[in-house]
Amino acid sequence: MFAAFVLKFMIFSFCGWLWETVLYTILSGKFENRGFLYGPFCPIYGFGANIAATLFGSLIGSPLKLFFTCMISSALLEYLTSFILEKFFGARWWDYSTIPFNLNGRICLSCSLAFGIAGLILLPGAILPIIAYIDSLPLEVTSTVAIILTGFLGGDTFLSINNIIDLNKYIEDIEREINERREAAGKFIEEHGGNAAREVVMRRVPKLSRKQTYLIKNIYSFTSENKEKIIRLLKISVGYPLDAEESEKSK
């Protein structure tokens, strides 16, 4: 039943967001709103919990099989999610490159083991009981709540994706204007590159929305192209003589 699935998906997405937000807030010492959506949801947990309940419930009597199945499936889901987000938005929301036994920074052995243990404990102890409770609710209740939550999630997803697309365009616009000024001003920009272009950046930065500022601060790493652009813009914003640096490299 679709309405029940939506309700389960949203509950587990919220639980995942709550877990990550609390964990990273404690680790960093400041509030960390995890995920790329405005709302308190991490969809990967919603998908993961429902997939585990549907496919792995029969393994509850075999702890070893359940552990390895949850570990491997969670690694596949995490890797695929990271890959898709990077391809669509040019950004990663997590990066395990500094952790031993990682694969392309998308997954790592320690996290996969943790998900395996979580599946072993939470699937019989929390996920399946929650699902059983939701399935027992009257259809009218689940349908009404599902419609509200679907509308909320759809709007949230649209706004979040639109912000990321606008942010990438915004970076390209700043780069283009700086290049135009460099070509028009010639030697002056060559000698005073960072300082001369600084006003371009500073005039545009205040126009960033709160969500776009959050994305810049909290997306762990951009793909190489976007990362280089952002580093370049940050240098320009503090008056770093960027063109002088580039001329040195070209010698």
Side-chain angles (χ1 to χ4, degrees), residues 31 55 89 216:
F31 179 72
L55 300 181
F89 305 120
I216 291 176

Side-chain angles (χ1 to χ4, degrees), residues 55-71 116-117 119-121 123-124 128:
L55 300 181
F56 313 145
S58 60
L59 299 176
I60 287 178
S62 305
L64 199 59
K65 287 183 180 180
L66 179 59
F67 168 76
F68 281 107
T69 303
C70 289
M71 182 185 77
I117 295 172
L120 185 62
I121 297 171
L123 185 59
L128 289 179

Side-chain angles (χ1 to χ4, degrees), residues 205-251:
V205 167
K207 296 179 183 178
L208 287 173
S209 69
R210 292 182 63 185
K211 182 64 175 179
Q212 290 169 335
T213 304
Y214 161 78
L215 288 170
I216 291 176
K217 290 179 179 179
N218 291 279
I219 292 178
Y220 190 84
S221 64
F222 283 78
T223 54
S224 57
E225 181 183 355
N226 279 338
K227 190 173 183 179
E228 289 173 3
K229 285 181 179 180
I230 289 175
I231 291 173
R232 176 183 174 84
L233 295 177
L234 288 174
K235 286 183 176 181
I236 290 172
S237 70
V238 296
Y240 190 86
L242 198 59
D243 292 283
E245 179 187 73
E246 290 176 351
S247 64
E248 284 294 323
K249 288 182 179 179
S250 63
K251 288 181 182 179

Side-chain angles (χ1 to χ4, degrees), residues 15-200:
C15 290
W17 172 87
L18 185 63
W19 156 250
E20 287 207 0
T21 298
V22 171
L23 176 63
Y24 282 88
T25 296
I26 293 173
L27 292 176
S28 66
K30 60 180 181 179
F31 179 72
E32 291 280 349
N33 180 19
R34 299 296 294 171
F36 77 98
L37 296 175
Y38 281 98
F41 304 105
C42 285
I44 188 172
Y45 287 92
F47 285 117
N50 279 285
I51 290 171
T54 303
L55 300 181
F56 313 145
S58 60
L59 299 176
I60 287 178
S62 305
L64 199 59
K65 287 183 180 180
L66 179 59
F67 168 76
F68 281 107
T69 303
C70 289
M71 182 185 77
I72 294 171
S73 61
S74 65
L76 291 173
L77 179 61
E78 191 172 27
Y79 192 97
L80 181 62
T81 302
S82 172
F83 180 82
I84 292 173
L85 287 173
E86 184 172 328
K87 290 301 177 183
F88 274 88
F89 305 120
R92 291 190 186 187
W93 271 257
W94 62 86
D95 192 330
Y96 301 132
S97 298
T98 59
I99 299 177
F101 305 108
N102 74 83
L103 181 59
N104 299 326
R106 302 184 192 280
I107 58 176
C108 67
L109 181 59
S110 58
C111 288
S112 297
L113 288 171
F115 281 120
I117 295 172
L120 185 62
I121 297 171
L122 296 178
L123 185 59
I127 295 174
L128 289 179
I130 290 174
I131 287 176
Y133 174 74
I134 293 173
D135 287 339
S136 69
L137 293 174
L139 179 60
E140 295 79 8
V141 174
T142 55
S143 297
T144 302
V145 176
I147 291 171
I148 296 171
L149 291 177
T150 300
F152 177 80
L153 183 62
D156 192 342
T157 302
F158 173 80
L159 291 173
S160 298
I161 291 175
N162 192 56
N163 259 297
I164 297 170
I165 294 172
D166 285 347
L167 180 58
N168 284 329
K169 289 180 180 178
Y170 194 79
I171 293 171
E172 291 173 1
D173 287 344
I174 296 176
E175 281 282 306
R176 183 168 55 251
E177 185 170 346
I178 289 172
N179 289 333
E180 289 173 356
R181 288 198 172 204
R182 182 187 294 109
E183 291 173 4
K187 190 174 180 180
F188 178 78
I189 293 290
E190 204 171 293
E191 294 176 353
H192 306 84
N195 292 323
R198 183 175 184 271
E199 62 178 276
V200 178

